[in-house]
Amino acid sequence: MLKIGEFSKLSRVSIRSLRRYDEAGLLAPASIDSFTGYRYYSERQLPVANRIRALRDMGFPLAAVREVLGCYDDPEALERCLLLQRALAWEEMEEARKRLRLLDTALERLRKDETMMKYDVTIKTLPERHVASVRQIIPSYDREGDLWHIYCQETARMNIQDGDPVLCTAMYYDGEFKDQDVDVEIQKNVVGTYPDTEHVKFKTVPAVQVASATFRGSYDQISTVNEAVAAWVEDNGWTFDGLFFNIYHVSPHETRNPDEFVTEVCYPVKRK
């Protein structure tokens, strides 16, 4: 018989882990001295300890080790367990690669331009939404408020129920920046069914995956934020997949102080 310390050295399993294996019902001592409480193991238990350690090294949690140990006499069942763990390991590796790529991109952006790090870019999915929309050619981007005025004027008596949360967005249809005559659509998510008006149309917008960055302050920052999002998309293996749009979380409707505006720049994307 071997004392727990001796068994630990031979099996290369720490005493702490041996106690955990015992608590989990995986490897109990061969005997325990009733007077001293010393734990003793048999040399015959060394293969079991080594097997448990091997499974732990493969990433199996303790809760799963018992099941896998029970499969060792059934090659087909054992193979299924190992294949499942292998698939999980691949998923973890892919997630680790994504994290490494994000870290490398952040470091590269920081080294190129420290101001780019002011804007954190994330991937998110906006769910399907039912919206009220107004789309028109307007003289310039700073006249977007005209569209919101049209929406308010034509729906004032319709008792429209806002969505929860309320998302007010503006989508830009031109493929490039224009000094005048810009094609813009504003949208506000709503609950319920309503008839179209002269300029306000109600429709369902499908779910969309976007790369987005949220910033606080005046709209003067939008060009810089657009550059940050576009660079992030390119550096992280995504490609653009639709028209970009803004979400106005706090807009001139809520405050006249530009420093309090909260805007989210969104670019639909997909994997390259």
Side-chain angles (χ1 to χ4, degrees):
M1 299 292 284
L2 301 169
K3 291 182 178 180
I4 189 171
E6 297 170 328
F7 189 81
S8 173
K9 291 179 182 179
L10 291 173
S11 64
R12 298 177 63 192
V13 177
S14 69
I15 292 176
R16 180 181 179 184
S17 293
L18 288 172
R19 294 184 185 277
R20 291 178 62 199
Y21 295 170
D22 182 18
E23 292 171 358
L26 299 174
L27 182 63
S31 66
I32 300 177
D33 189 294
S34 60
F35 182 71
T36 63
Y38 290 163
R39 296 164 178 252
Y40 293 91
Y41 289 82
S42 167
E43 290 85 348
R44 294 188 180 90
Q45 292 178 292
L46 286 170
V48 178
N50 290 333
R51 186 169 291 174
I52 295 172
R53 182 166 61 85
L55 292 172
R56 295 288 286 154
D57 288 345
M58 294 177 198
F60 284 97
L62 276 181
V65 169
R66 181 199 295 272
E67 178 183 354
V68 182
L69 287 174
C71 295
Y72 263 80
D73 293 330
D74 184 342
E76 291 185 0
L78 179 59
E79 182 181 19
R80 286 195 296 271
C81 291
L82 296 177
L83 286 173
L84 177 59
Q85 184 61 23
R86 185 177 185 276
L88 293 174
W90 268 106
E91 289 181 8
E92 292 172 0
M93 185 170 66
E94 288 300 314
E95 288 300 317
R97 285 177 176 171
K98 291 178 184 177
R99 289 193 293 270
L100 284 171
R101 187 163 191 169
L102 290 172
L103 287 166
D104 289 341
T105 300
L107 287 168
E108 186 176 351
R109 288 168 57 204
L110 179 61
R111 289 162 183 162
K112 286 181 178 178
D113 184 355
E114 292 184 11
T115 61
M116 300 289 274
M117 291 301 295
K118 291 171 56 179
Y119 310 109
D120 296 313
V121 182
T122 59
I123 297 294
K124 63 190 293 185
T125 298
L126 294 179
E128 181 181 271
R129 296 171 292 130
H130 189 57
V131 302
S133 72
V134 179
R135 178 181 176 182
Q136 286 191 6
I137 304 295
I138 55 178
S140 60
Y141 294 105
D142 60 7
R143 294 286 297 275
E144 185 183 306
D146 294 353
L147 303 182
W148 292 106
H149 179 72
I150 291 172
Y151 167 78
C152 292
Q153 189 175 45
E154 295 191 8
T155 62
R157 299 183 179 181
M158 296 178 67
N159 296 318
I160 291 178
Q161 182 179 348
D162 292 339
D164 183 19
V166 179
L167 291 182
C168 295
T169 67
M171 182 171 293
Y172 306 94
Y173 284 85
D174 298 306
E176 59 184 356
F177 177 84
K178 296 179 66 177
D179 292 320
Q180 59 184 10
D181 297 331
V182 293
D183 190 355
V184 180
E185 177 183 357
I186 59 110
Q187 299 176 349
K188 183 177 184 180
N189 62 317
V190 299
V191 177
T193 302
Y194 308 93
D196 292 344
T197 67
E198 181 180 359
H199 300 101
V200 181
K201 309 302 178 184
F202 294 89
K203 63 182 181 179
T204 298
V205 178
V208 59
Q209 179 177 244
V210 299
S212 75
T214 302
F215 69 94
R216 180 170 180 163
S218 72
Y219 298 137
D220 295 339
Q221 301 176 69
I222 285 184
S223 294
T224 304
V225 180
N226 282 340
E227 292 175 12
V229 177
W232 187 96
V233 168
E234 179 65 26
D235 292 342
N236 285 276
W238 297 85
T239 186
F240 299 112
D241 189 34
L243 300 168
F244 92 91
F245 57 93
N246 294 329
I247 301 176
Y248 303 113
H249 296 288
V250 179
S251 70
H253 179 70
E254 288 80 27
T255 177
R256 305 307 298 178
N257 183 358
D259 293 337
E260 297 177 353
F261 296 167
V262 178
T263 309
E264 184 174 0
V265 173
C266 300
Y267 279 82
V269 293
K270 63 182 179 180
R271 277 293 184 188
K272 286 184 179 179

